[in-house]
Amino acid sequence: MVFSFNESQIRRYARHIVLPGVGGRGQRRLLQSRVLIIGAGGLGCPIALYLAAAGVGVIGIIDDDVVDLSNLQRQILFRTEDVGRPKAEVAQERLQALNPDVRVIPYVERFTAANARRLVAGYDLILDGSDNFPTKYLANDVCVWEGKPLIWGAVFQYEGQIGMVPPGGRPCYRCLLPTPPPPDQVPDCQQAGVFGALPGIIGAMQAFEALKWLLGLGPSLAGRLLAFDGLRAEWLAVRVERRPDCPVCGDHPTLFEPIDYEMFCGVSR
């Protein structure tokens, strides 16, 4: 496929084009990539902004929620006048205004067992920006079955985590946390709170890892958990091993179809 940059694109992506490891070929690769972001909240907003700014050609955003005033403390895509509007649609407007090279596809619906495999199949890379365990387990399982790489993030109060499930899913998210925790052990952001800048840090790291993966730069986070302690300003990398008894990526898997996990966690995105 022949692809040439116009003058505007040369100026827009100049700092990428001159960068060793990216160059014109890498920038073309980004413009031809397709990425799905699950959730347009605290993590999804910075992920989407950085991927759009970098010129990722197609960005899908799935979120069934509307903007609430309480979101504005950390969800940096939205403004006060957006309160009450669907997050995915507002995100589409803002991202395409940021970079007209990018096509943004909004899905104003929930990521569920009924639509997960269809959505994931149409993208090269999946980023989980959700804030609940049902979505994280569903995203993990479907990405393993579909052979899609998944970069997930999580935040809680002053701490955050980021990890990656590679194509083939070994190790996967279930190798780290085999089963969803009971509902009474999972407070949501409304109950526990989250420091406003924290999702920006973790979401930016997810975007960084996504761009690395799309460009084939450096080692990925597959097989590692990267944890951030905001109060101590410390990062810690922990090795994650594949579990032979994992129900999804283990030696003898027992799960083969998507499941809606709301029964385990009473947290809404």
Side-chain angles (χ1 to χ4, degrees), residues 62-111:
I62 179 165
D63 197 306
D64 67 343
D65 203 1
V66 298
V67 180
D68 185 82
L69 190 61
S70 65
N71 300 150
L72 304 185
Q73 166 250 14
R74 64 199 177 281
Q75 298 181 15
I76 56 177
L77 267 174
F78 311 126
R79 304 171 182 171
T80 303
E81 57 265 33
D82 298 320
V83 170
R85 298 185 60 202
K87 290 183 179 181
E89 293 182 357
V90 177
Q92 178 191 34
E93 294 176 8
R94 297 284 146 72
L95 297 175
Q96 299 216 196
L98 171 65
N99 189 349
D101 291 341
V102 174
R103 179 187 173 204
V104 181
I105 305 175
Y107 301 96
V108 185
E109 55 187 298
R110 194 169 185 83
F111 189 75

Side-chain angles (χ1 to χ4, degrees), residues 110-118 138 142 257-261:
R110 194 169 185 83
F111 189 75
T112 67
N115 63 20
R117 297 193 84 148
R118 169 179 55 83
L138 178 60
V142 170
E257 294 294 333
I259 300 172
D260 285 319
Y261 292 97

Side-chain angles (χ1 to χ4, degrees), residues 38-43 62-65 110-112 128-140 152-156 173 177 180-181 183 186-189 259-269:
I38 302 172
L43 294 172
I62 179 165
D63 197 306
D64 67 343
D65 203 1
R110 194 169 185 83
F111 189 75
T112 67
D128 171 30
S130 67
D131 66 357
N132 65 85
F133 282 106
T135 302
K136 292 188 182 302
Y137 280 88
L138 178 60
N140 172 80
W152 60 268
V155 293
F156 179 76
Y173 186 76
L177 298 170
V186 189
D188 60 18
C189 289
I259 300 172
D260 285 319
Y261 292 97
E262 280 78 3
M263 67 186 76
F264 295 102
C265 305
V267 185
S268 60
R269 184 166 63 247

